[in-house]
Amino acid sequence: MLNTQRVSFREWALPPTCLSFSPGKRRRSFQLACIVSVAVVAGCAAPESTVTELALEEVAVEAAPGARFPSLERHGDAVVLSWLEPHMVEGEEVWALKGAAYQAGTLGKPFDVTRSGGGATFFVNWADFPVVWPVGDGRLAAHWLQRGGSATYDYGVRVSFSDDGGHSWSEPWTPHEDGTPSEHGFVSVFGLGHGEAGMVWLDGRRFFEADGSRAASPRMTLRYRTAGADGTRTAEVELDDHICDCCQTDAAMTSAGPVVVYRDRTEEEVRDISVGRFVDGKWTGGVPVHDDGWVIPGCPVNGPSVAAAGDDVVVAWFTGAGNTPRVRAAFSRDAGATFGPPVTIDLGNPVGRVATVMPEPGTALVAWLEAERLFARTITADGNLGPARLVAASSNARASGFPAMLVDLADRVVFAQTVVNEGIRVLRSQEPWTAWKD
């Protein structure tokens, strides 16, 4: 039986910690030194932890002032940073989706994917933002959100592909074919081999009846589809018929196939994290990663993150169950079929907005926001936590978006974030992540 607890909406924050950095020129060397002893409230253990310094360098980004919502995506050796950029054109605000290839601590010349204007109006949102995704064999996929009619949440997904490193893009394609004036977004794209892309998205078609009237019992659903490099497309598949309305999805490839994570929703308003797996040619139903029992009568806009290496899978997420904010992570050693008990990652009062990567089987890095700061730390499959690392100052404001993180080919940890009222910033650790284990 679920331990269901209601939680109130409120700001969660710790007392401020110290932050210092020394500016340079094109690159800057950051020394984020702050030694603080804190008790970690853990799901299965509560060791003492300290916040330690993390030395970083800033990676130069050719982005306009006001750029926002960066994403870092990797497939094999290919890494791409993408972001949204505002421009004023003849008195009209135009949004550009841009990307740049990343290699060895350097970002290449930015490329344009698409721009709003000419009758195309983007849906720009702090939590549901466009991304460029490497999907294998030198192919890139990009998605963005475009408004339909005049209704606030009438918008759909547009997808385009590039086979030449972002220089040219295919005609936009809409993966959902329902035609309802409803919300479609929170997309995750992943490579399936030979340039084929799988994608999942939140789909609001069940907010309407077949005759176009509003549904008496509206439901947000989760849907899936693939697009091959040769232009073939599979039919849409409904993975879950009742999920949380506006939390991010995420996906990863295991040795047994893809896994998808999302915030589920029951009739009793329990909104915990579920995982779906592609097994024997079909998707399993959503299975809880852990029964937190978070009852919340509204979407927390705080989705999960997943990473995999072989049979090992890690899921990180935010929960407010028991009226206590937590960032948790749990491991699976069987490609997502079952998960061990969660371990609490945070320092006591997190905002969430998690990101996770798994640079080697059995070890993951988790990043999260807390006390107007971005932190990261390691966790192993047996529950051991490394020291919390202070990465950078941040903001709890929606305008700060969600931080991104990955490990590059040199084993350096790369972070991307929105700096409110300024633009985007990319930071790279001066030491490989393996030094974090010492």
Side-chain angles (χ1 to χ4, degrees), residues 88-122:
M88 293 302 295
V89 179
E90 298 180 352
E92 177 188 5
E93 186 176 60
V94 171
W95 291 93
L97 171 56
K98 309 200 77 167
Y102 169 92
Q103 189 173 22
T106 302
L107 286 161
K109 184 176 178 58
F111 54 78
D112 270 26
V113 178
T114 187
R115 292 180 176 234
S116 63
T121 303
F122 285 5

Side-chain angles (χ1 to χ4, degrees), residues 322-389:
N323 206 29
T324 303
R326 297 184 181 95
V327 169
R328 285 177 158 172
F331 273 84
S332 169
R333 310 308 299 267
D334 54 11
T338 60
F339 283 84
V343 172
T344 295
I345 302 295
D346 62 83
L347 303 176
N349 215 358
V351 175
R353 305 188 199 178
V354 299
T356 188
V357 293
M358 187 181 288
E360 68 180 22
T363 303
L365 281 63
V366 178
W368 75 98
L369 294 186
E370 184 164 358
E372 307 274 342
R373 305 288 187 266
L374 174 60
F375 293 94
R377 72 192 315 172
T378 58
I379 179 175
T380 63
D382 56 8
N384 288 328
L385 283 172
R389 312 271 173 169

Side-chain angles (χ1 to χ4, degrees), residues 37-41 46-49 346-348:
S37 293
V38 295
V40 176
V41 182
E48 288 295 314
S49 179
D346 62 83
L347 303 176

Side-chain angles (χ1 to χ4, degrees), residues 46-215:
E48 288 295 314
S49 179
T50 56
V51 177
T52 65
E53 67 181 50
L54 181 58
L56 300 132
E57 60 187 19
E58 185 164 6
V59 180
V61 186
E62 294 182 36
R68 63 200 68 180
F69 311 145
S71 183
L72 283 164
E73 300 297 336
R74 177 178 172 179
H75 187 285
D77 293 348
V79 178
V80 174
L81 172 76
S82 56
W83 66 92
L84 264 180
E85 201 172 270
H87 297 272
M88 293 302 295
V89 179
E90 298 180 352
E92 177 188 5
E93 186 176 60
V94 171
W95 291 93
L97 171 56
K98 309 200 77 167
Y102 169 92
Q103 189 173 22
T106 302
L107 286 161
K109 184 176 178 58
F111 54 78
D112 270 26
V113 178
T114 187
R115 292 180 176 234
S116 63
T121 303
F122 285 5
F123 180 81
V124 178
N125 183 271
W126 70 285
D128 192 1
F129 43 85
V131 179
V132 178
W133 317 76
V135 293
D137 289 2
R139 196 175 193 221
L140 300 177
H143 91 271
W144 63 95
L145 305 177
Q146 191 166 309
R147 289 192 177 277
S150 58
T152 302
Y153 295 108
D154 176 7
Y155 63 89
V157 179
R158 303 293 183 266
V159 179
S160 186
F161 297 94
S162 175
D163 294 312
D164 57 10
H167 295 291
S168 63
W169 292 85
S170 65
E171 285 296 314
W173 168 60
T174 300
H176 45 88
E177 299 178 355
D178 54 292
T180 62
S182 61
E183 175 185 354
H184 306 78
F186 294 99
V187 181
S188 291
V189 178
F190 46 94
L192 292 168
H194 307 292
E196 184 179 22
M199 60 197 75
V200 296
W201 67 92
L202 269 61
D203 191 299
R205 69 185 64 188
R206 290 182 181 265
F207 278 68
F208 293 87
E209 303 290 357
D211 61 3
S213 62
R214 297 284 298 186

